Amino acid sequence: MRWLWVAALALVAWPVHALADDLLIADLQWLAIDANDATPLLFEPGDPVNPHAPASDEFWYFELGRLAFRSPALLGGLGGRHGLSCNSCHSSGGVNSHFFVDGLSDFPGTFDTTNALFSTHTDDGVFNPKPIPPLFGVAETAPYPADGRFATLEQIVDHVVLKEFDGLTPPVTVHRALLHYLKTIEPPDNAQDTPLTAEFALNDLRRLTKVLSWSTLTQNPETVVFTVNAIRRQLEAVHNRFSGVKPVQAELSAWSLELRTVRRLIDAEDRPGARAAAEAVLQRMETRAADIIPWQRKSLYDPTELATYLESRTASEAR
Ligand code: HEC
């Protein structure tokens, strides 16, 4: 039976090598970059503008859809666990032209959606990467994807979430919001890249937490829990970029615990309490941001610190 054991080992060993667990920046697992040019880790394409009247239902659906699109909480399997999201490939609704996974991409910006690494459903046993398409105006371009297997946007999105990335069925509202987001996004007028600074990251956490606050009073508990989980994972990513900066990490951990309280209150069906707790985190995020931002120079949002980190990674891989 020895050959069977060897075959089983070969099957599990490959995926383990393809992604790494010990990285402070999850995106490094799927970016083709070198230590001399960390630009893709310091910028992202300009974010589509929310076109709806602030505080309208459609405004919040867009915000919730954006949160889901950017969160690994939507995906399951290896991808979800390692921090992959729709946004990792379709960055800001466009194309991440640096996306590259060994064995699943032939050129940067391509990906084999029928693989065994991220999916227990769609493997076709063939190395057949496809270009990542931009998603602007995607509601008008049925059928999907390039080979037209799916008649509707809803069908392909469900296929991507549930089959290609082994996700669980998202809460109904999150599903609806994601489709709303995909149907609405347009490339921003000033196609400028957004610098990924600590300030940007903290602003984005506040933006996500506003969605949470809205959801506590208006949405079903599953949606609130999904939102809390998505924000906590985003917080973890920011926490990692502040590796070694103890005061900042302590503060971010406190936010994460407060978010857990929101979840506990929703589980106990205390909506007003959950709302108050969400507003309290938001308030804390607003007042503490100014203390955190100066620490950026010690973090992996700083180009020099980042270059040093990338060099140390390259050196340890070469050893
Ligand atoms: C690992 C990279 C990757 C991730 C993550 C990813 N996609 Fe894709 N997506 C692709 C590729 C590659 C294609 C093209 C597939 C083809 O042509 O067969 C595609 C195609 C699509 C299409 C069809 C577009 C068209 O014009 O036909 C939609 C819609 C889509 N993705 C939405 C999503 C959503 C929503 C998510 C998150 C739930 C997501 N994708 C996550 C790589 C990715």
Side-chain angles (χ1 to χ4, degrees):
M1 293 304 274
R2 195 183 142 88
W3 61 271
L4 245 184
W5 183 79
V6 172
L9 192 73
L11 268 179
V12 295
W14 181 69
V16 172
H17 281 292
L19 296 181
D21 267 324
D22 59 338
L23 292 165
L24 293 172
I25 304 178
D27 287 343
L28 276 170
Q29 297 168 107
W30 40 80
L31 286 180
I33 58 163
D34 61 52
N36 302 322
D37 181 18
T39 317
L41 295 169
L42 294 167
F43 292 89
E44 67 169 33
D47 205 6
V49 174
N50 185 335
H52 305 299
S56 63
D57 282 348
E58 285 194 309
F59 176 88
W60 289 117
Y61 272 116
F62 183 100
E63 292 295 291
L64 180 61
R66 176 181 178 274
L67 172 144
F69 188 81
R70 290 169 158 261
S71 179
L74 186 66
L75 306 181
L78 196 75
R81 282 201 301 282
H82 280 252
L84 193 75
S85 69
C86 311
N87 197 56
S88 309
C89 293
H90 306 280
S91 304
S92 302
V95 178
N96 179 356
S97 56
H98 303 280
F99 184 92
F100 190 91
V101 173
D102 218 0
L104 301 182
S105 306
D106 47 6
F107 299 101
T110 67
F111 175 67
D112 179 354
T113 57
T114 47
N115 68 79
L117 181 65
F118 293 114
S119 176
T120 53
H121 299 93
T122 61
D123 180 29
D124 62 359
V126 183
F127 176 59
N128 47 2
K130 305 279 186 328
I132 299 169
L135 299 178
F136 302 119
V138 73
E140 316 299 329
T141 60
Y144 312 98
D147 66 8
R149 271 174 300 150
F150 299 100
T152 66
L153 186 58
E154 186 168 352
Q155 282 169 1
I156 178 144
V157 169
D158 289 351
H159 174 79
V160 170
V161 174
L162 306 175
K163 299 289 179 349
E164 281 179 11
F165 294 101
D166 282 1
L168 298 172
T169 304
V172 179
T173 318
V174 174
H175 182 249
R176 207 184 301 153
L178 177 65
L179 285 166
H180 174 78
Y181 178 77
L182 292 172
K183 287 177 185 163
T184 312
I185 48 172
E186 286 180 10
D189 286 344
N190 63 340
Q192 300 270 343
D193 285 352
T194 310
L196 288 177
T197 57
E199 186 174 7
F200 173 86
L202 296 175
N203 281 340
D204 208 55
L205 281 169
R206 283 211 294 279
R207 183 168 173 181
L208 302 179
T209 306
K210 286 179 187 159
V211 184
L212 173 65
S213 181
W214 161 78
S215 75
T216 50
L217 289 188
T218 58
Q219 300 305 312
N220 54 19
E222 295 75 36
T223 300
V224 180
V225 170
F226 180 93
T227 307
V228 167
N229 291 343
I231 302 171
R232 293 186 76 206
R233 293 202 63 172
Q234 194 64 32
L235 249 174
E236 195 185 315
V238 180
H239 188 273
N240 284 342
R241 285 236 192 183
F242 278 101
S243 170
V245 189
K246 292 265 157 51
V248 173
Q249 288 200 321
E251 179 62 23
L252 298 177
S253 298
W255 298 359
S256 191
L257 283 179
E258 290 191 11
L259 287 164
R260 218 168 62 182
T261 308
V262 178
R263 184 183 168 153
R264 192 172 47 72
L265 290 165
I266 274 294
D267 286 343
E269 293 175 20
D270 179 2
R271 280 179 184 267
R275 165 69 156 231
E279 285 294 317
V281 193
L282 205 50
Q283 185 68 44
R284 182 167 180 161
M285 288 176 169
E286 249 151 41
T287 48
R288 302 294 169 89
D291 299 334
I292 295 178
I293 289 166
W295 288 101
Q296 154 150 333
R297 65 184 196 289
K298 298 262 184 211
S299 79
L300 296 180
Y301 292 105
D302 178 82
T304 315
E305 290 291 320
L306 180 62
T308 309
Y309 173 67
L310 293 178
E311 274 159 28
S312 75
R313 292 282 321 171
T314 319
S316 68
E317 272 162 25
R319 235 180 280 132

